[in-house]
Amino acid sequence: MNNRIYLDYNATTPCDQRVLDYMMPFFCENFGNPSSAHHSYGWLAKDYITDSSSVIARTLGISVDDIIYTSGATESINMILKSFSSKFELGGNHIITCKTEHKAVLDTCDFLERYEGVSMTYLDVQANGMIDLEQLKQAIRPETILVSIMHSNNETGIIQPLKKIREIIKGKGIYLFSDATQSLGKIDLEDVFSTVDFACFSAHKLYGPKGIGLVYVKNRSDSQIIRNFIQGGGQQKKIRGGTLNTPAIAGFSKAIEISYADLKKEGQHFIDMRNQLESGLLEIEESYSNSRTTERLPNTLNISFAYVDGFKLLSALSKSMAVSNGSACNSANENPSHVLLAMGLERNMAFSSIRFSLGRFTKESDIDKIIGIVGQEVAKQRSNNILWERRSL
Ligand code: PLP
């Protein structure tokens, strides 16, 4: 039994028991292939997919036709960005994104630039993590076809101003994509769906199963941008061939339904716990918050502890809790967080940073304990650091 306090909900979440219970009948009883058109097993499975899609669409205020199921956010990002390859003659080959995006976006953009003839601009961010809207205006060229800016950042929780971005690109024939993976289930997404042309999501970030995600395409029936991404079988209107994952789609719909049923109550609870954790951790000498804007996720906190080696701190903390130094996909990487570097932190400060992400099963009664353990470990690390002793000499 793992009794460490789990504070890495932005990496992944445990499946909610209610989600798992809802999924179970789709493995052994209602196991049909939704593409089987000639018997009741297939018809039933197809009906369940239709019902799940309706629940997702109704809960999020979108249309069933706007949904394409994928294996998760990384695949969704690949699907969207690769549709903007210069091979497709979209009237230009220039994409604008931002230096603090998730690696799933940055690495796909790098691929497009190297092999697909796409020209990329990577916007800087300001010290608070927000993009500079003036720089965005300057970056737009006649051949710009897409702006890809994430909604909320997975490391800091900072939320980008999508409405203002939309205002800037309005009337210029530029599409807007937002990686909103971290926002789903944590905040209201009205701003996202009323603003973007494309967005992506993943069930395992909101207590659903791993291996299922979706691409949102506004007015998909009118949009010719997302084309055949995976060939074979013709499923999902030939965009992504392959048997639909009925249990996972059912689980995804249940996870979304549960999260949004309690959003207001849960959201305020997270804000209260996060604020308590934040003010406690900031009482540790020479600790600094990297999540300083008012527009941020309710559950996420990123703190730098000066004169501390973040890797050593993580290793010491791992005996009692699960936290991280940024994205799980990047955690084996020995470089400091690209997000914090882009925000202007010195390498050693970026190295000394820890992300705390709270979730549905975080206990309020654990917050003071967490603050105490982190405080002790930070003090221990510093007691071995000569620079700490000499800092005020
Ligand atoms: N985008 C963001 C902002 C994320 O936080 C993640 C997961 O860490 C991803 C994309 C990739 O999601 P998935 O694990 O579903 O591929």
Side-chain angles (χ1 to χ4, degrees), residues 10 19 29 62 67 80-81 108 115 126 131 134-135 140 166 170 181-182 228 234 274 281 284-285 316 337 359:
N10 284 11
V19 170
E29 292 159 45
I62 61 176
I67 297 170
I80 296 162
L81 290 176
T108 310
Y115 304 112
Q126 306 169 81
I131 63 160
E134 277 311 308
Q135 197 191 21
I140 293 171
R166 170 54 87 191
K170 202 158 119 191
T181 307
Q182 288 293 345
N228 307 31
R274 182 205 60 199
L281 292 175
I284 299 171
E285 243 184 300
S337 149

Side-chain angles (χ1 to χ4, degrees), residues 5 7 273-284 301 305 317 321 356 364-378:
I5 302 170
L7 290 171
M273 284 198 295
R274 182 205 60 199
N275 290 351
Q276 190 189 338
L277 180 60
E278 184 170 49
S279 52
L281 292 175
L282 290 178
E283 274 177 26
I284 299 171
L301 193 55
F305 301 98
L317 291 177
M321 64 183 78
F356 301 85
E364 207 173 332
S365 55
D366 278 339
I367 300 290
D368 283 339
K369 189 168 154 195
I370 297 161
I371 296 167
I373 296 171
V374 175
Q376 267 174 18
E377 289 301 341
V378 166

Side-chain angles (χ1 to χ4, degrees), residues 13-23 203-204 206-209 251 254-256 258-259 262 266 360-361:
T13 58
C15 195
D16 190 300
Q17 189 62 48
R18 291 167 290 179
V19 170
L20 185 61
D21 292 345
Y22 190 70
M23 289 170 66
H204 75 97
L206 72 154
Y207 315 91
K254 184 51 81 182
I256 291 178
I258 292 171
S259 293
D262 271 342
E266 267 203 342
R360 188 170 291 160
F361 307 108

Side-chain angles (χ1 to χ4, degrees), residues 10 72-74 77 102 104 150 152 154 179 181-182 202 204-205 329:
N10 284 11
T74 302
I77 288 164
H102 190 274
M150 74 198 316
S152 55
N154 46 304
D179 172 3
T181 307
Q182 288 293 345
S202 187
H204 75 97
K205 304 291 185 185
C329 316

Side-chain angles (χ1 to χ4, degrees), residues 93-336:
N93 69 339
H94 179 230
I95 295 178
I96 300 173
T97 186
C98 163
K99 290 180 180 167
T100 55
E101 294 288 314
H102 190 274
K103 288 287 178 184
V105 168
L106 292 177
D107 289 352
T108 310
C109 289
D110 183 56
F111 172 87
L112 289 174
E113 194 167 30
R114 278 170 199 261
Y115 304 112
E116 301 284 314
V118 170
S119 168
M120 293 296 314
T121 296
Y122 295 92
L123 298 178
D124 298 317
V125 293
Q126 306 169 81
N128 64 5
M130 309 282 275
I131 63 160
D132 178 343
L133 295 169
E134 277 311 308
Q135 197 191 21
L136 170 62
K137 281 184 200 159
Q138 304 299 325
I140 293 171
R141 306 180 199 153
E143 61 273 21
T144 307
I145 43 176
L146 177 72
V147 171
S148 170
I149 300 291
M150 74 198 316
H151 188 229
S152 55
N153 188 278
N154 46 304
E155 296 191 26
T156 59
I158 288 160
I159 297 175
Q160 298 291 353
L162 292 182
K163 280 205 157 150
K164 290 186 179 151
I165 295 171
R166 170 54 87 191
E167 277 301 304
I168 290 170
I169 62 174
K170 202 158 119 191
K172 296 190 166 73
I174 301 170
Y175 290 94
L176 179 59
F177 160 49
S178 188
D179 172 3
T181 307
Q182 288 293 345
S183 306
L184 185 67
K186 297 188 181 109
I187 49 175
D188 187 279
L189 290 185
E190 214 244 301
D191 265 12
V192 175
F193 293 118
S194 63
T195 314
V196 305
D197 300 293
F198 309 98
C200 66
F201 305 101
S202 187
H204 75 97
K205 304 291 185 185
L206 72 154
Y207 315 91
K210 292 175 180 58
I212 184 77
L214 69 82
V215 164
Y216 162 76
V217 186
K218 183 168 277 165
N219 305 326
R220 188 179 101 188
S221 36
D222 305 336
S223 171
Q224 294 303 308
I225 303 285
I226 308 284
R227 301 158 208 236
N228 307 31
F229 184 66
I230 294 182
Q231 284 72 42
Q235 286 91 345
Q236 305 206 69
K237 300 195 180 136
K238 294 194 173 158
I239 291 176
R240 184 183 187 265
T243 304
L244 282 168
N245 187 342
T246 318
I249 290 171
F252 198 3
S253 74
K254 184 51 81 182
I256 291 178
E257 197 180 28
I258 292 171
S259 293
Y260 281 92
D262 271 342
L263 190 73
K264 275 217 170 99
K265 211 170 99 212
E266 267 203 342
Q268 191 51 50
H269 180 55
F270 286 140
I271 293 173
D272 293 343
M273 284 198 295
R274 182 205 60 199
N275 290 351
Q276 190 189 338
L277 180 60
E278 184 170 49
S279 52
L281 292 175
L282 290 178
E283 274 177 26
I284 299 171
E285 243 184 300
E286 300 244 17
S287 62
Y288 304 92
S289 171
N290 299 313
S291 316
R292 274 168 296 171
T293 57
T294 45
E295 296 300 316
R296 58 172 169 154
L297 291 177
N299 78 317
T300 310
L301 193 55
N302 191 306
I303 308 261
S304 297
F305 301 98
Y307 301 95
V308 167
D309 177 330
F311 281 107
K312 286 191 186 148
L313 181 59
L314 274 178
S315 154
L317 291 177
S318 69
K319 294 183 196 100
S320 42
M321 64 183 78
V323 287
S324 73
N325 57 354
S327 163
C329 316
N330 213 29
S331 61
N333 190 335
E334 301 222 327
N335 290 319

